[in-house]
Amino acid sequence: MNPTFMIAIPLLTAFLLFVLPKRRWLNTLFITLVALFTSVYSIAGLFNIEKSMSFGMGGWPTPFGINLVVDNLSAFFVMVTQLSFLLTIFALFGWYRAERYSGALMMTFLAAVNGMILTGDLFNLFVFMEIASVSLFALLNLRESSGSLKATFNYMVLNALASSVYLIGIALVYRATGTLNMADLSQKWGVISEASATTVFLMLLTPLLLKAEIFPLNLWAPRIYGRSSAGITTLLAGMVAPAGFYAMIRLFSLLSSSGTTQNSLLILAVLTMVIGEVVALTRKSLREMLGFSSVAGMGVLLMAALSNAMEGALFHLFNLALAKVVMFLSVELLTAGGRDDLESLKGTYKRNPAMAFVFASGAFSVAGLPLFAGFRSKLIILSDMMKAEHYIITAVFIFASIVEFFYYTRAVQHIFSSNEEIAGGRQCSHPLSTLVLLAAAIFIIFTGIYPESVMALAEKAQMALTDVGAYVASVLGGM
Amino acid sequence: MCPFGTISSFSFSLLIISPLIYLLARFDRRWASAFLALASGLGLYKLATMYGEWGLPSQSFEIIPNVTISFTNSPIQWYFAFIGLGIMLTIFLFEISWLSKSRTPSAHIFFEAVILASLPGFFMAGDLMTLYIFFELMSWAAFFIVSQASEKSEKAARTFIAMNTTGAMALLYVLFLLYTRFSTLNIEELRTLLPSAGAGFNLIIFALFVFSGLIKAGSFPLHTWLRKTHGNAPDSFSAVLSGYLIKYGSFVVAVTTVIFPSLLLFSNAPHFMGLPLPNYILAVLGGVSIIVGTLMAIKQQDAKMLIAYSSVSHAGYIVMALAMVSSYSVAGGLLHVLVHALAAAGMFLSMAAVKYRTGTTNMSELGGLVDRMPVTFATYLISIISTAGIPPMVGFVSKWLIYQSTITGGFIFLSFAAFFGSIGSFLYVFRPLATVFFGQRPKRLENVREVPFIMQLPMIIISALTVIFGVLPSIALKPIAEAERYYGIKPVSFSFSEIRGALGSWNSVLVFFVFMLGFIMAAVIFYLARKSVRVGLLENYTAGEIPREIINSPELYHYAHNFYRPVERLYEHHPSLEDFYETALGENLKKFGVFLKTLFYNHRLDWYLYVSILTILFLWWLL
């Protein structure tokens, strides 16, 4: 696939929306078609990747110009974010019609997230991160009540701080090595002395940790999750966090870092997981619970990635993103945008059985119940972590899983409670969103039983990640 | 055709069609239940044809490298699975009619189909991963069934799932420890590989297995979920829970001690009275479980909770017997699995029948149902005779075998516990008998009728089996001796009518005929010297007098309330493990969560900075 399209088409759509006649249905249709096209294009491309491919932009030779890189890893992540985006668009189809502003913002956001994943240049990564953040801030406040305003403000400030740290980091890198191209940098990384390398590396990692919601840079996240509607939270959990995670593991594989750095990040990952799960246990509001759970999930991924369970981490990332998106959306449709505390959710399955089923399959997937996708990826993570002799961390992971299993079954139990009479009749959601979300839920179960197809993709992605030589060769032309 | 393909296809096909069963139940719940009864009958038939063909694992798809979902057939596994399917069969028969009392019959039947599917999968598992997966499926399905009964049962179900998941996760951890070490999870292969590992490694494996086994078996000190869960579950499902699902734990214990050769593994560990210390500690825990279960059962006001605690006590017998790994103890422990499966199913089903007609199991609201519900009464009576270990029933035989091993081994505490449990159970099982079936009948129960025949049938089957196995325990001992031979333990010696123990022999047929003779003689005397008049239940227990108060306020004379007050007073202020787990673990974890929330996620911008700095300092200090 040509990565340029993945960025250019959504961006173009964003501008075109203002040229098109002012019709809501037209906007919605247009956005939906574009999202469908980019998704199909990226997924079709994913199966045709032989090796790592680099595309220089604007006719400049790399490493002097900006380049985009498509290999199994970046294509895998693009697929994840595209799927999240597509699900959001489809599931909310009947829920709200895209205005041209929010439509344009979402398209810009999509372009930026794809750019974050596909770019091979540190500064370009910064630019795309900023575009993604800015469009997300705008989206957060476009249709939100004042409740989320403060949360968004905090997020903005933190984000700006982290970005400036990153900017200083790349300035230092450029000063020391004279390049910002990731592949080129990985060759010249040895030039920097070890102490400075650690500092610079951590500076580069700061906004990525923030995007990937790793403690202590995730303090903004739960409130945003708790106060925003599904359209935004799915973008966060299913797109921003995976993109941040991608950039992080890419930097990890390209730039060598010290053992201490990796260990401290591992500890942060474990802390993220434990704090996230334990706090999620206490939350009464379902959205907030899901928010903390997403945070904890990112901790699990980073923990697995840093303790030799990368393949499992990538597979788990796919399952988590899908399950989280599905859950946020089904909660939105189940509560009809209203109250979401556990008590008021009692017996809501009678109101909307399809969405209750969708939520349950997402929840069981994340909780790791056999037959659901998350179980298979958790098993791979566990087995690889044990093989790498991380006994204590595995035990902590097991503990976190118990907590997670408990609060998810509790939530499902409340939704499926038969002990409460529910007011009002059946309120089915839009048939299109029901259909799409049911398909996603069935796919979760299907992956739980036959995980081979997704696992093969994760395995290829993991190989692309470890094969730094091929990455560098594709960018620099076999230098 | 591989005969073992059948049992895996039984599990899988049942799982696949379970949504269809749900739809069938939506259409007509009786058909769905009957269908599942038929399915369990079919499973029983398949199992019966598999008897004697041990070994030969069958495999299906791969889960992680070198680990596939696989099934195998060995005597112990066959024995557990056979009993399980038998119990499920009776329950499904019972539910054909009982389901009309369930508020969510279709969901109930759907999840029971999942449990039925998980049952042979769990017990016939060829490797630990299969065991784990089917256990999780079972507890997940059981969780939703328990939730459906009432508002209260939702909390009970959460206790159940919290503890069972903890057990399952411990199993998962130990499973990966084994997998990392031996890169296989096949039970047969692990049997031969484990002795090569060090004692320390084996001890960790043993401890974690026992931890998860004790939770699932509902044995001390991890028995606390039983009372709430069994007490608040839908009535017929309590019989499944107690009759069979806690045997999942007994099976895990059997895997730990018998299938994995624990005596060999710990042959270099310190021994106590001829038993390796880990086994001895496990046996003592079993003994404590007997005592605790008995004492707590005496206190209960609700018949179902009482039976739940009796299950704790019986789980203790099984754990204790299996932990001793001798010829008699393993035979006794395995036979006790059958005994308790039948007895618990019988007791819970009769209580379900009582509730079906009266709407309560609170003992002080019931009474005098003996002539209204004779079959239910007889089932309960036979089950408790077996529970208390009184001769012509099968319950005596298993306890007799267990006594053989505790006495010949010279285990004073264990012998005491075993006898204590036996005598204590006279106290508690008598109480529902006296207060539900005998005594004064409250006015509102005047018109109670016996349950429909389809509900009587499973109770009759269970009672008949309890008697038949009591008269001819050799039928049940055949697969047990086979299992002992298979795992290299000296099999118990028995003939058609007689079991030969270390301290004498037990001729069950003879004893049965002596009992029958005594019974017939008593009946003859009763009918010959018949000068009695038929009296009402009321007069019966006021010795013919009718005091004035009894007419005005009869409930004063209902003696179910504080039935064993003098005994209870002896241990009134006991510490409660149930509260301990709930507050120390559950509540404190939640408090900790709230603390973390206020500490980190209080959404103040400056606070973000402090937390970040503190985290960096913490990492600096740590590394």
Side-chain angles (χ1 to χ4, degrees):
Chain A
M1 79 177 160
N2 190 338
T4 328
F5 290 153
M6 298 301 298
I7 300 165
I9 292 177
L11 214 51
L12 192 65
T13 315
F15 291 116
L16 279 181
L17 277 174
F18 290 92
V19 184
L20 279 176
K22 232 179 172 175
R23 294 270 152 70
R24 273 195 173 188
W25 66 268
L26 194 64
N27 291 343
T28 316
L29 189 70
F30 192 37
I31 291 169
T32 313
L33 285 179
V34 170
L36 196 61
F37 171 73
T38 47
S39 304
V40 171
Y41 185 65
S42 68
I43 292 169
L46 179 59
F47 290 99
N48 294 324
I49 296 171
E50 292 293 313
K51 56 181 177 52
S52 182
M53 286 174 289
S54 168
F55 297 81
M57 297 292 105
W60 289 87
T62 43
F64 304 108
I66 287 167
N67 68 319
L68 301 180
V69 181
V70 180
D71 61 1
N72 276 311
L73 183 69
S74 56
F76 180 78
F77 274 84
V78 167
M79 175 190 71
V80 172
T81 53
Q82 278 289 346
L83 275 183
S84 306
F85 190 79
L86 192 67
L87 269 177
T88 311
I89 293 278
F90 269 101
L92 298 181
F93 191 78
W95 182 242
Y96 78 99
R97 296 284 159 84
E99 292 166 38
R100 54 168 54 164
Y101 294 109
S102 63
L105 284 169
M106 277 179 107
M107 279 294 143
T108 322
F109 176 77
L110 177 66
V113 170
N114 282 344
M116 271 173 78
I117 295 170
L118 291 166
T119 185
D121 185 280
L122 282 180
F123 187 76
N124 199 221
L125 175 62
F126 170 76
V127 172
F128 280 129
M129 273 196 302
E130 287 305 287
I131 298 176
S133 306
V134 169
S135 44
L136 193 64
F137 299 147
L139 273 172
L140 273 167
N141 283 304
L142 202 59
R143 336 179 15 257
E144 297 309 318
S145 57
S146 60
S148 66
L149 204 59
K150 192 183 165 213
T152 316
F153 178 73
N154 285 358
Y155 179 33
M156 262 169 77
V157 172
L158 267 187
N159 200 64
L161 276 175
S163 295
S164 42
V165 171
Y166 182 85
L167 209 54
I168 298 168
I170 52 176
L172 290 174
V173 169
Y174 194 67
R175 167 81 175 74
T177 62
T179 183
L180 286 177
N181 184 293
M182 291 188 203
D184 199 23
L185 182 64
S186 77
Q187 303 291 64
K188 296 179 179 157
W189 186 244
V191 176
I192 310 174
S193 72
E194 205 192 319
S196 330
T198 304
T199 317
V200 169
F201 186 67
L202 286 175
M203 286 174 108
L204 294 185
L205 234 45
T206 308
L208 304 178
L209 288 170
L210 183 112
K211 295 258 180 310
E213 298 162 7
I214 299 300
F215 182 85
L217 294 169
N218 62 11
L219 300 180
W220 54 272
R223 180 156 296 194
I224 300 242
Y225 280 117
R227 299 283 168 91
S228 312
S229 62
I232 312 298
T233 45
T234 50
L235 299 186
L236 263 173
M239 298 178 71
V240 177
F245 183 70
Y246 164 81
M248 201 151 55
I249 57 175
R250 186 59 106 189
L251 287 188
F252 263 114
S253 81
L254 290 179
L255 313 176
S256 64
S257 50
S258 68
T260 319
T261 314
Q262 301 214 355
N263 281 344
S264 9
L265 284 171
L266 184 56
I267 291 168
L268 287 185
V270 173
L271 277 178
T272 311
M273 175 179 75
V274 173
I275 295 175
E277 302 288 23
V278 175
V279 178
L281 178 69
T282 67
R283 294 294 89 197
K284 293 274 181 289
S285 144
L286 202 55
R287 286 197 194 92
E288 240 181 281
M289 190 192 94
L290 286 177
F292 277 104
S293 174
S294 313
V295 166
M298 293 315 290
V300 171
L301 293 180
L302 185 62
M303 175 198 72
L306 288 170
S307 45
N308 294 349
M310 186 53 92
E311 189 195 328
L314 292 174
F315 183 26
H316 200 53
L317 176 120
F318 177 85
N319 293 337
L320 269 188
L322 190 61
K324 284 282 152 60
V325 168
V326 155
M327 276 194 288
F328 276 119
L329 291 170
S330 57
V331 167
E332 191 73 23
L333 298 173
L334 203 58
T335 58
R339 287 178 59 200
D340 67 336
D341 53 309
L342 283 178
E343 285 305 312
S344 68
L345 273 170
K346 269 199 163 179
T348 33
Y349 84 99
K350 286 175 195 151
R351 207 188 300 154
N352 198 340
M355 281 310 118
F357 169 74
V358 169
F359 179 83
S361 44
F364 287 136
S365 178
V366 179
L369 189 85
L371 292 189
F372 293 90
F375 172 65
R376 304 303 290 269
S377 45
K378 266 192 180 175
L379 277 191
I380 297 173
I381 291 179
L382 276 173
S383 122
D384 286 351
M385 276 173 60
M386 276 294 208
K387 247 181 223 152
E389 305 195 335
H390 290 285
Y391 296 120
I392 295 172
I393 295 180
T394 316
V396 177
F397 179 38
I398 291 261
F399 163 75
S401 296
I402 296 172
V403 177
E404 193 173 40
F405 195 91
F406 179 75
Y407 66 72
Y408 273 120
T409 36
R410 182 180 63 184
V412 176
Q413 186 194 33
H414 274 87
I415 289 176
F416 281 91
S417 166
S418 53
N419 299 317
E420 199 88 358
E421 286 310 312
I422 197 95
R426 193 168 278 203
Q427 309 172 328
C428 282
S429 24
H430 194 278
L432 184 66
S433 36
T434 311
L435 205 67
V436 167
L437 284 180
L438 272 180
I442 287 166
F443 184 72
I444 288 175
I445 299 173
F446 176 79
T447 316
I449 298 168
Y450 296 104
E452 280 74 17
S453 50
V454 183
M455 242 160 81
L457 293 179
E459 202 180 329
K460 275 202 271 178
Q462 189 254 345
M463 266 151 43
L465 179 67
T466 41
D467 195 357
V468 180
Y471 178 86
V472 173
S474 75
V475 177
L476 301 179
M479 259 166 70
Chain B
M1 191 189 85
C2 173
F4 307 103
T6 55
I7 209 68
S8 59
S9 61
F10 177 79
S11 273
F12 287 133
S13 50
L14 209 53
L15 267 185
I16 291 164
I17 63 167
S18 56
L20 294 180
I21 293 173
Y22 175 78
L23 293 179
L24 181 63
R26 289 296 288 259
F27 176 65
D28 189 333
R29 55 174 189 273
R30 284 167 300 183
W31 286 15
S33 192
F35 176 81
L36 285 181
L38 195 70
S40 17
L42 207 64
L44 274 177
Y45 169 73
K46 275 179 185 170
L47 271 181
T49 59
M50 282 162 67
Y51 182 78
E53 300 176 34
W54 314 130
L56 286 174
S58 77
Q59 303 199 328
S60 40
F61 50 87
E62 193 168 67
I63 293 280
I64 45 176
N66 210 15
V67 173
T68 50
I69 296 278
S70 64
F71 300 91
T72 186
N73 187 15
S74 78
I76 283 194
Q77 295 180 309
W78 183 90
Y79 177 75
F80 270 91
F82 198 81
I83 299 174
L85 283 177
I87 295 291
M88 290 307 280
L89 173 64
T90 57
I91 307 287
F92 287 128
L93 284 178
F94 190 82
E95 285 188 344
I96 291 177
S97 183
W98 178 85
L99 273 179
S100 63
K101 291 282 171 186
S102 169
R103 276 184 302 167
T104 48
S106 345
H108 186 97
I109 274 292
F110 166 72
F111 286 116
E112 277 191 342
V114 175
I115 287 184
L116 183 64
S118 83
L119 202 143
F122 179 85
F123 289 116
M124 309 295 272
D127 67 290
L128 295 173
M129 183 56 87
T130 315
L131 192 101
Y132 169 80
I133 288 177
F134 283 108
F135 177 75
E136 278 288 66
L137 275 183
M138 183 284 284
S139 27
W140 167 72
F143 168 78
F144 281 107
I145 298 182
V146 174
S147 305
Q148 287 160 7
S150 69
E151 192 82 18
K152 246 194 205 162
S153 61
E154 289 190 358
K155 191 153 190 308
R158 290 202 287 274
T159 315
F160 166 78
I161 201 77
M163 292 196 72
N164 273 274
T165 309
T166 311
M169 290 293 179
L171 191 65
L172 195 63
Y173 188 77
V174 71
L175 193 145
F176 277 110
L177 275 180
L178 288 167
Y179 179 65
T180 319
R181 182 89 173 222
F182 302 117
S183 40
T184 178
L185 288 175
N186 189 297
I187 296 175
E188 284 296 315
E189 285 174 31
L190 286 175
R191 242 170 84 72
T192 51
L193 286 170
L194 270 176
S196 64
F201 181 76
N202 279 331
L203 191 64
I204 294 173
I205 302 289
F206 184 84
L208 284 170
F209 255 110
V210 162
F211 175 76
S212 105
L214 290 187
I215 288 184
K216 293 173 201 171
S219 185
F220 181 85
L222 300 161
H223 61 278
T224 52
W225 58 275
L226 242 73
R227 179 185 72 87
K228 270 193 204 163
T229 313
H230 291 201
N232 291 317
D235 303 315
S236 74
F237 192 69
S238 292
V240 182
L241 268 175
S242 192
Y244 224 66
L245 297 191
I246 62 171
K247 301 299 178 293
Y248 280 57
S250 311
F251 181 68
V252 172
V253 174
V255 169
T256 324
T257 58
V258 181
I259 298 185
F260 293 164
S262 60
L263 291 186
L264 180 68
L265 297 183
F266 298 117
S267 53
N268 292 326
H271 279 55
F272 188 79
M273 310 204 55
L275 261 189
L277 202 55
N279 284 55
Y280 184 74
I281 292 172
L282 181 58
V284 168
L285 285 180
V288 176
S289 181
I290 297 174
I291 295 173
V292 168
T294 307
L295 289 178
M296 294 306 291
I298 291 172
K299 282 181 65 157
Q300 300 308 313
Q301 296 299 330
D302 185 295
K304 280 174 74 181
M305 294 190 177
L306 186 149
I307 307 172
Y309 267 117
S310 98
S311 296
V312 173
S313 149
H314 285 274
Y317 274 103
I318 297 169
V319 168
M320 184 177 91
L322 290 176
M324 287 190 288
V325 210
S326 72
S327 172
Y328 294 113
S329 75
V330 171
L334 289 180
L335 189 58
H336 207 75
V337 170
L338 172 67
V339 169
H340 184 243
L342 287 175
M347 289 194 285
F348 271 121
L349 284 188
S350 51
M351 283 304 139
V354 167
K355 194 167 177 189
Y356 185 79
R357 285 300 190 208
T358 66
T360 181
T361 52
N362 192 334
M363 287 182 281
S364 49
E365 293 169 29
L366 293 163
L369 292 175
V370 55
D371 54 347
R372 293 287 185 270
M373 306 178 81
V375 176
T376 310
F377 163 72
T379 309
Y380 185 78
L381 183 67
I382 290 173
S383 301
I384 65 169
I385 294 177
S386 184
T387 309
I390 299 171
M393 308 302 169
V394 64
F396 174 76
V397 186
S398 63
K399 280 190 181 168
W400 184 77
L401 283 166
I402 295 173
Y403 296 152
Q404 302 280 326
S405 57
T406 54
I407 293 170
T408 51
F411 301 106
I412 295 169
F413 172 71
L414 299 184
S415 305
F416 166 73
F419 282 109
F420 183 88
S422 215
I423 294 161
S425 64
F426 288 131
L427 285 179
Y428 64 75
V429 292
F430 176 69
R431 188 169 166 195
L433 187 77
T435 54
V436 174
F437 293 106
F438 296 147
Q440 179 188 0
R441 185 168 46 236
K443 279 247 159 43
R444 63 176 197 92
L445 299 182
E446 272 315 308
N447 297 322
V448 165
R449 283 173 299 131
E450 180 59 283
V451 288
F453 175 72
I454 196 72
M455 283 169 81
Q456 292 175 24
L457 184 66
M459 294 199 279
I460 294 169
I461 294 175
I462 286 173
S463 313
L465 287 177
T466 310
V467 179
I468 289 172
F469 283 123
V471 180
L472 294 171
S474 48
I475 306 172
L477 282 174
K478 207 176 135 204
I480 291 173
E482 182 84 19
E484 291 191 307
R485 212 170 294 127
Y486 192 82
Y487 292 109
I489 300 164
K490 189 172 146 280
V492 283
S493 100
F494 63 92
S495 65
F496 176 71
S497 62
E498 197 180 44
I499 309 170
R500 284 176 285 276
L503 305 167
S505 60
W506 174 255
N507 190 327
S508 47
V509 177
L510 186 69
V511 171
F512 178 70
F513 280 112
V514 169
F515 260 86
M516 283 306 287
L517 198 66
F519 188 74
I520 289 166
M521 274 162 60
V524 166
I525 293 168
F526 177 75
Y527 283 108
L528 281 183
R530 191 174 185 178
K531 285 207 189 89
S532 54
V533 264
R534 196 175 171 76
V535 292
L537 283 162
L538 211 72
E539 292 154 278
N540 195 0
Y541 83 90
T542 53
E545 293 274 327
I546 304 184
R548 190 172 299 278
E549 304 93 292
I550 205 163
I551 298 165
N552 299 331
S553 49
E555 64 279 357
L556 282 179
Y557 282 78
H558 200 293
Y559 55 93
H561 200 62
N562 284 333
F563 195 73
Y564 284 124
R565 189 73 186 129
V567 184
E568 283 169 35
R569 225 173 256 143
L570 295 175
Y571 57 99
E572 218 165 14
H573 303 290
H574 64 92
S576 161
L577 265 182
E578 204 169 316
D579 292 347
F580 173 75
Y581 289 140
E582 202 141 293
T583 51
L585 301 176
E587 293 304 316
N588 283 347
L589 190 63
K590 274 191 191 161
K591 272 186 199 155
F592 182 59
V594 173
F595 169 72
L596 287 177
K597 164 86 168 73
T598 38
L599 186 63
F600 295 131
Y601 297 98
N602 54 11
H603 305 288
R604 281 170 48 197
L605 262 177
D606 53 339
W607 201 260
Y608 295 169
L609 188 68
Y610 305 144
V611 171
S612 305
I613 291 171
L614 276 177
T615 315
I616 291 167
L617 285 177
F618 168 72
L619 284 176
W620 196 13
W621 166 80
L622 198 70
L623 298 164

